[in-house]
Amino acid sequence: MNHTASPQSEFLRGIKECSPMLIGLLPWALILGMQGGQKGMSWLEMLLMTGMNFAGGSEFAAVNLWENPLPILLIATVTFMINSRHILMGAAIAPYMRDMPLKKAMPALFFMCDEVWAMSLADAQKAKQKQINVAYYMGVSISLYLMWLIFTTLGAYLGPILGDIE
């Protein structure tokens, strides 16, 4: 991190640097939402699932397993297995979060997805820092999170209207 840069400018830099990724993830979010909507998920259920999980791969798996009656144990097990990669990602980023207070580390880890993890580690290594740039991390995280929530929810709303998208 540039020591003269403000947290606000670092947050905005995170948004700017992840912008191309936002464009690339937008269709995936819409497709996930549409698949969920066509499986009978409401826009609110999609919003809650993506808001509490924020891990695309396991969300696609959960939607594909979505049926009536809901196989909750199967969905939870598959989600855990797919998201277990976050254990390794967390171990890799932990040395860069060592001095971070727990009240900042826990929300940051909630927002950790593959893209946030990769961009934040690369940023810290490029700047030769021993700690992640929290403002940059949150700029990337919040941008991706909001885009994912908005467009999966929109997809769930549009899915039943558009019909079968397979």
Side-chain angles (χ1 to χ4, degrees):
M1 175 174 138
N2 180 350
H3 292 289
T4 60
S6 70
Q8 294 84 2
S9 68
E10 289 299 299
F11 183 85
L12 292 173
R13 183 172 68 88
I15 294 170
K16 180 182 175 187
E17 289 187 7
C18 79
S19 293
M21 207 175 310
L22 294 173
I23 296 166
L25 287 176
L26 189 143
W28 291 104
L30 282 170
I31 290 168
L32 174 63
M34 286 181 200
Q35 287 179 343
Q38 290 174 353
K39 287 274 195 154
M41 294 177 77
S42 70
W43 66 267
L44 181 58
E45 288 169 325
M46 182 58 67
L47 176 66
L48 291 171
M49 181 184 77
T50 56
M52 293 188 307
N53 187 29
F54 191 43
S58 62
E59 292 167 355
F60 274 100
V63 165
N64 284 314
L65 294 170
W66 200 269
E67 58 186 44
N68 193 6
L70 196 60
I72 294 172
L73 184 58
L74 177 61
I75 290 173
T77 302
V78 168
T79 298
F80 174 78
M81 290 171 54
I82 293 171
N83 288 345
S84 65
R85 72 187 186 284
H86 289 163
I87 296 168
L88 296 175
M89 290 164 49
I93 205 167
Y96 294 90
M97 297 177 80
R98 185 170 291 136
D99 298 326
M100 189 181 295
L102 194 57
K103 68 181 180 181
K104 286 187 179 182
M106 295 309 285
L109 289 173
F110 171 79
F111 288 109
M112 185 181 71
C113 63
D114 300 347
E115 297 83 3
V116 171
W117 174 80
M119 288 185 71
S120 297
L121 271 181
D123 182 65
Q125 291 169 349
K126 180 179 164 188
K128 298 185 182 353
Q129 296 293 317
K130 295 182 181 183
Q131 183 172 312
I132 62 166
N133 180 331
V134 177
Y136 174 85
Y137 183 101
M138 294 312 290
V140 173
S141 299
I142 291 173
S143 299
L144 291 170
Y145 185 76
L146 289 176
M147 184 280 308
W148 192 250
L149 264 60
I150 290 166
F151 286 97
T152 54
T153 303
L154 179 62
Y157 176 78
L158 293 175
I161 295 169
L162 296 176
D164 188 8
I165 60 168
E166 277 190 47

